[in-house]
Amino acid sequence: MTFTLLAEGVVALLLVAGGVFAFTGSLGMLQLKDFFMRLHGPTKGTTLGIGCILIASMLYFTVTQREFHVQELLITLFLFITAPVTGHMLAKTGLHMHLRFITGTRGSLPELRDEDVGQSRVARPAKARHPWRTRRKSLQMKSRRKSRLPR
């Protein structure tokens, strides 16, 4: 009985810690100023939050069902491996696209090699068409533009 009570206390602590980490990571993604700072929210805080919640789930079901549950542990390990790699890939993409960053933050500017940044600006993808515009409306807009052209 006391072991179950202790396990429930640890599960509750992990759930609260996971909620705090996930909330902090989400709040950081909303409040930070530029793209490169916003990467820290989901890659650090949210990853730790979801990891705590998954470990709490693994512990709870292991204690209540009296058999070891490895699925949550595998999901946690996969998350801890993939989230930093994804953040690194997003940061490299931001460098290649020459996204603006704030220079007033603490620390020095990173020394970047040419292969890290790229020589020219990468073209942005084309804007998506609005789903509510019909073909007829777009043809009407084209005919209006043609009628305005000088002859």
Side-chain angles (χ1 to χ4, degrees), residues 19-35:
V20 168
F21 278 127
F23 177 72
T24 305
S26 301
L27 190 65
M29 193 165 84
L30 289 174
Q31 295 294 323
L32 292 175
K33 293 178 174 72
D34 67 351
F35 174 77

Side-chain angles (χ1 to χ4, degrees), residues 66-130:
R66 302 203 192 281
E67 61 183 35
F68 186 68
H69 284 262
V70 75
Q71 295 92 346
E72 288 92 349
L73 183 64
L74 293 175
I75 293 170
T76 305
L77 291 176
F78 183 71
L79 179 73
F80 283 171
I81 291 169
T82 58
V85 172
T86 304
H88 179 73
M89 289 172 56
L90 285 171
K92 292 219 28 132
T93 302
L95 287 174
H96 279 287
M97 292 186 73
H98 297 278
L99 295 179
R100 283 182 268 147
F101 58 91
I102 296 173
T103 57
T105 57
R106 297 168 76 185
S108 62
L109 292 175
E111 295 178 16
L112 301 172
R113 293 174 282 176
D114 288 337
E115 61 266 12
D116 289 338
V117 177
Q119 299 298 333
S120 63
R121 187 176 177 90
V122 177
R124 294 185 186 265
K127 289 187 177 180
R129 291 179 39 144
H130 296 289

Side-chain angles (χ1 to χ4, degrees), residues 44-65:
K44 309 276 187 299
T46 308
T47 303
L48 283 175
I50 299 299
C52 285
I53 291 170
L54 285 169
I55 298 229
S57 171
M58 180 187 70
L59 183 64
Y60 176 77
F61 286 112
T62 298
V63 169
T64 57
Q65 295 178 358

